[in-house]
Amino acid sequence: MSRTFKLSVMAAAVMAVAPAAQAFEAGDFILRAGVVHVAPDDSSDEVLLVGGGATGSEVAVDSNSQLGIRATYMFTGNLGVGVLAATPFKHNISGKGGALDGVDIGETKHLPPTVTLQYFPMQSSSALQPFVGVGINYTTFFEEKSDLGELTLDDSVGLAVEFGVDYMLNEHFGLNAAVWWADIDTEAEIKGVTEKLNVEIDPMVYMVGFTYKF
Ligand code: NI
């Protein structure tokens, strides 16, 4: 056997018995796809009809699940920047309490792109990579619909915090789970029907999916 060939065989043997390849390190791009569930912790001002009519009702926003994608770019072995994107969430809006209790007010779609700075405390060699992140959520509402008139919801900018974990099964594939909270506050109105009111959506968001590391 040539010396080069012997060295190659030895190198291959060493690689075969080496522990799992380094999980996350500087320059890595990590993509996660899965199901994202948005569960609003909703509350609002009272719905007031134009002209001063009190209703005694708040509005409620229901939950929704969509396909989500989260990506992280690692600056170092411990710090990355994360981005969340998803197919549009769709929520029904209804009355809660008072004269409008249970009344269907309308629906809206929204997209909540979120950018966070993420800290991964484990060593690069660890297959298990928990992280915490903090950043900014921008939520834009669109395709608002109501049988009662022209429903509008203003865009929201607010704090987002997250906690998650990736578990790498091999160098490229893994599983992930994450939960985060976003401060999503909007002003809503049905033009000519209701006064503007503040609505706090402030959802907990959950995701489980697959991880692919480039
Ligand atoms: Ni809030």
Side-chain angles (χ1 to χ4, degrees), residues 47-105:
V47 179
L48 296 174
L49 302 178
V50 168
T55 63
S57 302
E58 289 187 17
V59 295
V61 180
D62 74 352
S63 57
N64 189 240
S65 296
Q66 292 294 335
L67 176 68
I69 289 181
R70 290 189 299 120
T72 295
Y73 178 76
M74 301 297 291
F75 295 116
T76 73
N78 296 106
L79 277 182
V81 61
V83 176
L84 162 76
T87 49
F89 294 93
K90 184 177 158 188
H91 297 278
N92 293 312
I93 302 167
S94 57
K96 183 164 71 178
L100 299 176
D101 193 38
V103 171
D104 184 19
I105 292 174

Side-chain angles (χ1 to χ4, degrees), residues 181 183-185 200-202:
W181 175 84
D183 188 20
I184 302 178
D185 303 333
E200 302 241 10
I201 301 174
D202 299 352

Side-chain angles (χ1 to χ4, degrees), residues 71-155:
T72 295
Y73 178 76
M74 301 297 291
F75 295 116
T76 73
N78 296 106
L79 277 182
V81 61
V83 176
L84 162 76
T87 49
F89 294 93
K90 184 177 158 188
H91 297 278
N92 293 312
I93 302 167
S94 57
K96 183 164 71 178
L100 299 176
D101 193 38
V103 171
D104 184 19
I105 292 174
E107 64 177 50
T108 185
K109 291 185 180 176
H110 77 87
L111 280 173
T114 304
V115 178
T116 52
L117 183 65
Q118 299 173 331
Y119 176 64
F120 296 78
M122 302 292 274
Q123 292 186 345
S124 292
S125 56
S126 172
L128 187 71
Q129 291 285 345
F131 68 91
V132 290
V134 61
I136 298 285
N137 165 270
Y138 172 74
T139 296
T140 181
F141 298 92
F142 59 98
E143 290 185 20
E144 299 103 317
K145 287 179 198 151
S146 173
D147 292 339
L148 308 174
E150 188 187 338
L151 172 67
T152 61
L153 289 91
D154 292 347
D155 293 353

Side-chain angles (χ1 to χ4, degrees), residues 14-59:
V14 167
M15 282 166 68
V17 299
Q22 293 207 324
F24 291 177
E25 53 191 336
D28 280 351
F29 181 73
I30 302 148
L31 199 61
R32 308 170 186 91
V35 176
V36 178
H37 181 74
V38 174
D41 180 20
D42 46 334
S43 64
S44 81
D45 293 343
E46 182 184 353
V47 179
L48 296 174
L49 302 178
V50 168
T55 63
S57 302
E58 289 187 17
V59 295

